[in-house]
Amino acid sequence: MAKEIVVSGIRPTGYLHLGNYFGAVRNYIRMQDEYDCYFFVADWHSLTTHPDTKSLQESVHRVIAENIACGLDTNKACFYVQSDIPEIAELYLYLNMMAYKGELERTPTFKDKVRQHPENVNAGLLTYPVLQAADILIHRALKVPVGKDQEQHLEMARNFAIRFNNWYGEVLPLPYAFNYGDSLTKILSLDGNGKMSKSANQMATIYLNDDDDMIRKKIMKAKTDNGPTEKGTPKPDYIQNLFSLLEITSRFDVITKFEDDYDDCTIRYGDLKKQLAEDMIAFIKPIREKANAIQNDKDYLSKVIKTGADKARASAAETLKLVRKAMSFNII
Ligand code: TYM
């Protein structure tokens, strides 16, 4: 039986951080054994906010190197660069004809970007979710492993697929945001202000490239409080975030100890942070070292990129054939 198709992408706008890892990459690694996976570096998307392309190639290489260092196996999953697949741009054009200005203007990520960069509200930014839909629909994917922040974009991709199918016939399956748990992941910034992100407070974001001292420094500065004084006090979200990170990186007995300390109101956040910092270092260090080695191996990287492009283009061309036929283009 044919495996279900999975697609997901990451913008090359900086080093990957724990949010990218736990919201996306961790699932890629698990899914590559069970699904027909297409993962990619969304370099066209990065142009919507980062028009300077001088260091783009280096950033693309970094994203690939970090994914492989995390355990992505390019013999199992197809890993490619978005701009190597011109078929995506053609599908983007068609989908743009069925995307309405009003719905695009209402997209929360668009409104955020307008607030942050009022001097650069370009059409690419407005149609960002359309390009994202094209990325997904070009392989007729069903599952899209992403973090919570992408939920809205996935809903829009579904809507565009529904619209296409209604107008031109059933061609595109309806994709949805996927996580192995029952909800999508959101890793918070260590200062407690919103989600961890490549562009927000860098001292509150842990990058997979941070060295040991930097990891210690950032975790020891993470926001905490005086601790609970009454049993049964729910954890504030910034404390829950530290526990979530502990769950991901620490041994079971360590997690249980701090959970128990929290429950009986004896928790010392200084101790928790020290433990978390050491466990996080043990988790990140091998990834950082492996990513650095891969990034320096340009021959290997270009082989990976070429192999990925060939496979992704073959899949994209098949979909585009169906799309064009449904739209009565090029029928000979
Ligand atoms: P990007 O590059 O911002 O993020 C890559 C992935 O990391 C997830 N993520 C998080 N998850 C949990 N907590 C966080 N703090 C956190 N920060 C980031 C994101 O949800 C994402 O899964 N628009 C996408 C790129 C994209 C794409 C696609 C994704 C382009 N086309 C098609 C899926 C399918 C983006 O900006 O991701």
Side-chain angles (χ1 to χ4, degrees):
M1 211 175 74
K3 289 180 181 172
E4 263 179 17
I5 299 172
V6 167
V7 167
S8 194
I10 301 180
R11 280 172 308 150
T13 47
Y15 292 113
L16 298 193
H17 52 71
L18 290 182
N20 299 132
Y21 182 82
F22 294 113
V25 180
R26 184 171 58 158
N27 283 344
Y28 299 178
I29 293 156
R30 200 164 153 193
M31 295 181 97
Q32 66 187 354
D33 290 315
E34 301 170 36
Y35 296 93
D36 191 5
C37 293
Y38 293 86
F39 300 127
F40 66 96
V41 189
D43 54 350
W44 278 337
H45 273 109
S46 71
L47 291 179
T48 60
T49 49
H50 294 64
D52 185 351
T53 53
K54 273 197 284 304
S55 55
L56 185 57
Q57 196 189 35
E58 210 41 39
S59 306
V60 168
H61 285 176
R62 186 72 201 177
V63 173
I64 297 172
E66 287 185 324
N67 272 275
I68 295 173
C70 287
L72 193 119
D73 181 345
T74 54
N75 293 314
K76 293 180 183 165
C78 175
F79 200 73
Y80 61 97
V81 180
Q82 184 186 35
S83 60
D84 283 337
I85 319 297
E87 288 80 2
I88 297 172
E90 186 173 333
L91 184 57
Y92 169 52
L93 183 149
Y94 300 144
L95 296 176
N96 266 320
M97 308 301 169
M98 33 192 105
Y100 298 109
K101 179 170 162 278
E103 65 184 334
L104 296 172
E105 281 172 342
R106 280 194 301 275
T107 313
T109 44
F110 175 69
K111 291 202 235 166
D112 282 350
K113 291 276 154 50
V114 172
R115 231 173 284 132
Q116 289 160 9
H117 298 285
E119 76 296 346
N120 185 22
V121 183
N122 57 73
L125 198 61
L126 182 69
T127 57
Y128 185 114
V130 188
L131 180 55
Q132 181 156 344
D135 291 329
I136 297 165
L137 302 176
I138 198 71
H139 299 299
R140 284 166 287 155
L142 277 182
K143 292 188 175 138
V144 185
V146 283
K148 178 100 182 132
D149 59 313
Q150 297 297 312
E151 203 168 25
Q152 185 93 31
H153 287 164
L154 261 294
E155 220 175 287
M156 295 176 80
R158 279 175 78 81
N159 286 339
F160 297 139
I162 291 170
R163 248 172 250 171
F164 184 95
N165 291 343
N166 283 342
W167 292 9
Y168 300 110
E170 288 289 327
V171 174
L172 305 170
L174 308 185
Y176 61 93
F178 175 83
N179 189 26
Y180 278 100
D182 28 289
S183 59
L184 298 177
T185 305
K186 179 177 178 180
I187 301 291
L188 297 184
S189 173
L190 294 177
D191 60 10
N193 289 326
K195 64 163 187 154
M196 200 173 269
S197 86
K198 294 183 196 126
S199 51
N201 181 359
Q202 307 216 331
M203 283 311 287
T205 297
I206 296 185
Y207 296 94
L208 300 184
N209 186 47
D210 281 342
D211 66 29
D212 298 356
D213 279 346
M214 184 58 87
I215 295 169
R216 257 183 222 111
K217 204 160 146 190
K218 287 180 177 176
I219 291 186
M220 294 315 289
K221 281 180 71 161
K223 177 173 175 176
T224 51
D225 51 32
N226 293 331
T229 48
E230 265 177 51
K231 272 184 184 293
T233 310
K235 297 186 186 95
D237 55 2
Y238 49 90
I239 297 295
Q240 180 52 53
N241 198 43
L242 293 180
F243 272 93
S244 302
L245 296 180
L246 208 59
E247 256 163 51
I248 290 155
T249 46
S250 301
R251 287 198 327 262
F252 182 69
D253 56 316
V254 171
I255 303 164
T256 313
K257 174 204 165 342
F258 286 112
E259 286 286 1
D260 291 347
D261 289 355
Y262 186 90
D263 285 344
D264 57 26
C265 306
T266 57
I267 188 146
R268 291 157 56 125
Y269 287 131
D271 291 349
L272 183 152
K273 289 188 199 176
K274 268 190 214 142
Q275 179 73 47
L276 176 59
E278 295 317 309
D279 292 343
M280 191 60 78
I281 288 168
F283 171 73
I284 287 182
K285 190 175 179 192
I287 296 177
R288 180 181 69 228
E289 290 174 351
K290 194 164 175 202
N292 287 343
I294 296 170
Q295 192 169 15
N296 290 328
D297 191 345
K298 299 297 179 200
D299 286 346
Y300 170 69
L301 281 171
S302 56
K303 239 183 266 159
V304 164
I305 291 172
K306 167 90 177 63
T307 312
D310 289 346
K311 180 162 184 217
R313 279 204 78 175
S315 153
E318 237 178 82
T319 303
L320 206 50
K321 214 155 102 190
L322 299 174
V323 164
R324 286 172 146 264
K325 186 162 180 244
M327 297 180 79
S328 308
F329 286 124
N330 267 15
I331 303 173
I332 305 162

